[in-house]
Amino acid sequence: MTEQVECVVIGAGVVGLAIARALALDGREVIVLEAAEGIGTHTSSRNSEVIHAGIYYTPGSLKARLCVAGKHLLYAYCAQHGVPHRRVGKIVVATEQPEVDALKSYMAKAAANGVDDLRWLSRDDLRELEPEVRCIAGFLSPSTGIIDSHALMLALQGDAEEHRASVVFFSPVESGEVCPGEIRLRVGGAEPMTLAAKTVVNCAGLFAQNVAGSIAGVPAASVPPQYFAKAHYYALSGKSPFRRLVYPVATHAFLGVHVTLDLAGQARFGPDVSWIDGVDYSFDHSREPLFYEAIRSYYPGLQAGRLTPGYTGIRPKISGPKDPAADFVIQGPKDHGVAGLVSLYGIESPGLTASLAIAERVRDLLDPKTGSV
């Protein structure tokens, strides 16, 4: 039996839930299909939980525009809905003279992105803010913050459901086909079913390419490559010596092993990056010496034995290890030619920060007045 539905959102991570909320608030009938047992079991819950300012991204890119817009939307949403968060700020530091030029380029990018609150810090300023950090220069980003990502997802889910959206777990999309006036999806699980939807939003994160490839009629040429970048995080045992986030100068395609804080004040370090062939969250303990080496470049007081294994996460990348970091890809019907379909690929960091702005963009792509259904 085929059930008719107005809109299906595939994936109940933070972006999928934000999109479901936006569409439900717009008066649409929405069903969210999630293959796992709960919300945000992959990238949305395995990250640094940072609200990013919008510093590093190429001016004019989707990452830059949606991060900056999303940051403002997210702080307002958290305040209105009681989502735990804190605007702790972060310092970005250079430990060697050649890195100072990189700091200046970050500040120029940030200014081009509309981030106008950065403050250059002298060595004395830095010592006063974070006495344990060894560096020669840096700047302060006061609008960077931290957030309880699970509480955010619960709030988004609650908002969506209050406006008649449904979130269905253990419901993997196994295949589908583009038909005249609708997209049919065959959904697995304990009670398999077929849904015929007027609109479908594919925001399946790590598995977005797999979902797209399973739907007959979605042009293969519109589906970008699929890569998996694994990250490890270590926790710092005992009291944290840091009062804010600390980021070293970034290396190729990722932001380096930085200091983040959780809302209880515990410090953690990460991410590193390793490229893997599939989704695997096992923890590679052999990476510990590399963490000590990287962290001691700016925190020389790190004592042996204070790092404890934390968790791993995987970024849904669409550019490989030798490529420049790719922008978000958000395709509407004008991009791939399939009426009623929006596909999102490579929604890695700053996807959490940008989630509400991404949702607005998807809503607009599905609005006959501004986009195309």
Side-chain angles (χ1 to χ4, degrees):
M1 190 173 81
T2 299
E3 183 176 341
Q4 301 289 327
V5 62
E6 183 177 2
C7 183
V8 170
V9 175
I10 304 171
V14 66
V15 173
L17 293 169
I19 291 169
R21 169 185 175 270
L23 296 177
L25 286 171
D26 222 25
R28 293 176 181 259
E29 175 200 13
V30 181
I31 293 179
V32 182
L33 298 177
E34 171 54 53
E37 70 280 2
I39 58 175
T41 58
H42 291 285
T43 308
S44 297
S45 59
R46 294 172 169 269
N47 58 74
S48 299
E49 294 189 300
V50 171
I51 301 175
H52 290 287
I55 295 169
Y56 302 97
Y57 315 112
T58 302
S61 66
L62 285 178
K63 283 185 176 179
R65 289 184 284 134
L66 297 175
C67 178
V68 173
K71 171 185 65 176
H72 297 300
L73 292 170
L74 188 54
Y75 275 126
Y77 184 86
C78 289
Q80 291 165 4
H81 291 77
V83 176
H85 69 291
R86 191 175 305 137
R87 199 181 299 236
V88 294
K90 80 174 176 184
I91 58 171
V92 184
V93 300
T95 59
E96 301 175 353
Q97 192 60 41
E99 296 177 344
V100 174
D101 287 342
L103 290 182
K104 293 177 179 177
S105 74
Y106 295 161
M107 294 190 75
K109 275 186 179 179
N113 291 338
V115 181
D116 57 6
D117 60 352
L118 302 187
R119 179 163 66 91
W120 187 262
L121 301 171
S122 68
R123 190 179 298 193
D124 288 342
D125 294 332
L126 288 157
R127 190 177 298 116
E128 182 178 345
L129 290 176
E130 294 292 347
E132 293 293 326
V133 175
R134 183 190 70 82
C135 59
I136 62 170
F139 63 79
L140 173 68
S141 169
S143 65
T144 300
I146 55 177
I147 187 170
D148 182 335
S149 60
H150 190 70
L152 171 63
M153 288 187 283
L154 286 173
L156 293 170
Q157 180 186 3
D159 268 358
E161 291 177 338
E162 281 180 14
H163 291 83
R164 299 188 303 123
S166 300
V167 183
V168 187
F169 302 112
F170 297 109
S171 299
V173 173
E174 296 184 339
S175 63
E177 59 185 332
V178 177
C179 302
E182 63 185 23
I183 299 171
R184 294 193 177 192
L185 301 173
R186 282 174 281 281
V187 183
E191 299 180 7
M193 59 182 169
T194 299
L195 296 178
K198 294 179 181 178
T199 59
V200 171
V201 181
N202 173 12
C203 51
L206 295 167
F207 311 103
Q209 288 91 333
N210 305 81
V211 168
S214 74
I215 301 174
V218 175
S222 71
V223 182
Q226 181 183 43
Y227 299 96
F228 302 109
K230 186 174 184 177
H232 289 74
Y233 293 86
Y234 277 85
L236 181 69
S237 62
K239 184 178 179 180
S240 168
F242 309 106
R243 289 173 286 184
R244 55 189 55 76
L245 314 186
V246 181
Y247 281 49
V249 167
T251 57
H252 175 70
F254 84 114
L255 300 182
V257 176
H258 51 252
V259 180
T260 60
L261 303 171
D262 63 21
L263 288 164
Q266 184 181 23
R268 56 191 174 200
F269 298 93
D272 64 349
V273 61
S274 56
W275 297 85
I276 57 177
D277 295 329
V279 176
D280 171 15
Y281 291 115
S282 62
F283 200 98
D284 181 0
H285 296 269
S286 71
R287 303 187 78 83
E288 184 175 308
L290 301 175
F291 268 76
Y292 273 101
E293 180 182 359
I295 296 163
R296 283 172 174 157
S297 69
Y298 59 86
Y299 174 35
L302 176 61
Q303 299 171 327
R306 287 201 66 190
L307 293 184
T308 60
Y311 57 95
T312 62
I314 301 173
R315 288 186 172 190
K317 305 284 280 188
I318 56 175
S319 53
K322 296 181 180 179
D323 303 320
D327 198 6
F328 292 157
V329 171
I330 303 175
Q331 299 173 344
K334 293 179 181 177
D335 301 304
H336 47 55
V338 179
L341 175 67
V342 175
S343 299
L344 296 87
Y345 303 104
I347 310 298
E348 51 168 335
S349 182
L352 189 155
T353 304
S355 56
L356 293 171
I358 292 172
E360 289 188 351
R361 184 175 180 86
V362 170
R363 181 197 61 200
D364 291 345
L365 285 172
L366 293 172
D367 185 338
K369 297 177 182 177
T370 59
S372 175
V373 295

